[in-house]
Amino acid sequence: MRAVGFRVVFLSSECEPWAKTGGLADVVDALARAIGGLADDAIDGQVDVFLPRYRGVPDPRPDAVLAETTIPVPDPRARTGSSDVTIIDVAADGYRLRLVDHPPAFDRAGYYGDTAGDYADNAWRFGLYVRASLEALRAEGRPVDVLHAHDWQAGPAGIFRDGSYRDDPIVGQAALVTTLHNLAYHGWTWNADLPQLGLRPGDQAPGQNADGIDLLAAGIEAAEIVNTVSPTYAREALTPEIGMGLDGLLRSKGDRFFGILNGLDNALWDPADDPALAAVYSRGDRAGKGVSRADLLTRNEMDPVDRGPVIGMIGRLDPQKGFDLLAEATPALLERGARLVVQGAGDPALADPFRELASASPDKVAFIERFDRDMARRIYAGADFFVMPSRFEPSGQGQMIAMRYGTPPIVRRTGGLADTVVDITRQPGSGTGFVFEGATTEALLAACDRAFELRATGGMVWDRLIDRVMAVDFDWSTGPAPRYIEAYKRAVAIRRSTP
Ligand code: GLC
């Protein structure tokens, strides 16, 4: 028995500020820091976060590089059966980042694919990434209590731990916790491609069916504990509509599958300390919010004085997020005197309607078709409302940031949105936003109408809403991080009692 607490190791394909396409990156960064910050008898110091070194990952400052080690890693594609992979250890903000560097796998245009679609060798790429991470842990020889795998890209951890490393004293002992940030992406691998993972026909592995392996299912099946990122999404995931083919497997986990609502890093997202804003502000003194609004509008070539409602939306351009619903509602919103500032990158088909709307009404619709960290902050602060008409939403982060910045959210009642926003019409004394049910333009518009009306009424009702919105505290360290520690403890207990 060791006197110190658990050692926790994250496997994640994204991590802010190194590599990000969506909320996963923010969550992994903030959670790793929060867990390390709670280190006591439960947790052994800082978390290790393994991340592929994609093209575009910024070079760490030389004084932050802790070590650089090249290790041989079993590689089913290498003629010798093994490839050299370099692990670059970096002192990150509150955790140890471990970049997995193997240019043939990661020095490419995209993380998961390019304009032609997903890379055909993703099973090899992420298999190699996971295996290199596990080999680095073995080479160190320091026990690992919890492997915390995020999404399908880390799913091979289940296959390898329960396969080739089953009897390994480091990897084989570790408990596996799998967090599902999104059930829409599975890392599906056909039988013909199983050699990419070093498997031969006839080999048994978690996540397998007659046609191949679902890497997300592998992560679920092998894990001692599985969670998703909000309680409502966890319930929805057990239904065929939202479960995306995994509802049966998730049901079979029983009480070993549940939701932990994501948090927000209050220090990273703070309108009182945000250099991107034209003026800072706080719950007690909100004057800077008006200045930030005028700045957002001016920067987007819109009239800063016009009092009409300004709607912000930010996200991955993905059918999940409901950008199409907002685009369809836009003509009606403009008729009501509203203006829109929309930021998104991803599917060009979802961008087209906003490009057209912005070129037809440049003084009313701004479309920022790229991932712009500073502009995002200006939208959260400067908009009057923040919309998320998501078809499904495992947690959602935009609504939490918007609330912290005093911008009431307009959201669909689904997943984490349902768990974070209280509808003000239903609960006038405690409401924090405007919640609607159907994934339709009409339902979105009706919620916007309620929002506009309340804002036009102004006075105390509006003031109290903004005050309540800004008072909500999603901080990681008080809420979600301790729940993860509980989950780790359970996972370790289950693992240790497994023969
Ligand atoms: C995915 C989900 C989003 C969640 C994020 C972080 O991007 O779509 O709802 O907030 O992961 O967990």
Side-chain angles (χ1 to χ4, degrees), residues 84-414:
D84 282 347
V85 176
T86 300
I87 309 287
I88 306 162
D89 292 340
V90 183
D93 182 8
Y95 51 91
R96 179 162 67 147
L97 179 76
R98 315 195 69 181
L99 294 170
V100 177
D101 188 25
H102 191 61
F106 299 114
D107 187 9
R108 299 191 186 181
Y111 298 170
Y112 314 126
D114 53 26
T115 46
D118 284 353
Y119 294 126
D121 58 355
N122 273 344
W124 170 71
R125 298 174 68 232
F126 288 98
L128 190 76
Y129 148 70
V130 168
R131 214 191 283 260
S133 308
L134 301 179
E135 286 295 336
L137 295 169
R138 292 183 66 214
E140 273 171 6
R142 193 155 71 89
V144 174
D145 300 284
V146 178
L147 288 170
H148 188 164
H150 298 267
D151 281 353
W152 70 262
Q153 294 87 347
I159 299 172
F160 299 149
R161 184 198 63 172
D162 294 353
S164 44
Y165 296 103
R166 179 185 294 269
D167 299 319
D168 180 76
I170 303 282
V171 176
Q173 300 291 308
L176 181 65
V177 173
T178 292
T179 296
L180 311 171
H181 296 265
N182 199 324
L183 287 167
Y185 305 102
H186 289 209
W188 174 254
T189 307
W190 294 100
N191 280 337
D193 293 324
L194 292 187
Q196 293 188 23
L197 293 163
L199 298 171
R200 283 162 318 213
D203 279 351
Q204 299 287 303
Q208 195 170 32
N209 68 23
D211 301 320
I213 289 189
D214 180 314
L215 293 177
L216 189 61
I220 296 171
E221 207 176 307
E224 278 68 39
I225 294 285
V226 179
N227 80 293
T228 184
V229 286
S230 71
T232 296
Y233 188 67
R235 277 194 303 280
E236 294 168 340
L238 301 178
T239 66
E241 302 78 66
I242 305 263
M244 309 261 179
L246 297 174
D247 44 299
L249 176 61
L250 289 171
R251 268 194 302 278
S252 76
K253 302 301 279 192
D255 71 353
R256 295 182 185 186
F257 169 62
F258 49 85
I260 301 178
L261 182 65
N262 279 342
L264 191 68
D265 189 319
N266 283 349
L268 276 185
W269 300 101
D270 183 0
D273 178 18
D274 190 333
L277 305 189
V280 294
Y281 57 96
S282 63
R283 190 177 160 209
D285 178 3
R286 303 203 307 258
K289 183 155 172 45
V291 181
S292 299
R293 180 183 190 272
D295 174 61
L296 172 70
L297 294 169
T298 308
R299 282 176 189 270
N300 288 288
E301 282 153 45
M302 293 173 166
D303 177 3
V305 182
D306 184 333
R307 289 271 310 136
V310 175
I311 294 184
M313 177 161 175
I314 302 171
R316 277 177 292 116
L317 291 173
D318 180 306
Q320 169 194 346
K321 298 287 178 182
F323 279 95
D324 53 320
L325 297 176
L326 182 64
E328 269 171 47
T330 298
L333 290 169
L334 299 187
E335 269 170 37
R336 289 152 164 86
R339 289 173 295 167
L340 267 64
V341 184
V342 176
Q343 176 176 311
D347 186 349
L350 293 168
D352 287 342
F354 284 105
R355 270 194 227 123
E356 282 161 27
L357 288 162
S359 68
S361 317
D363 55 335
K364 295 196 169 66
V365 179
F367 180 47
I368 300 125
E369 194 183 347
R370 58 175 193 280
F371 175 57
D372 181 331
R373 285 183 174 83
D374 285 342
M375 186 58 81
R377 289 172 176 274
R378 294 178 188 126
I379 297 173
Y380 289 122
D384 297 311
F385 299 104
F386 188 81
V387 328
M388 293 182 74
S390 307
R391 294 201 161 74
F392 65 93
E393 195 62 76
S395 163
Q397 175 172 245
Q399 81 280 22
M400 299 191 206
I401 302 171
M403 287 163 80
R404 186 149 165 81
Y405 280 63
T407 304
I410 301 174
V411 304
R412 255 203 85 217
R413 191 187 306 284
T414 183

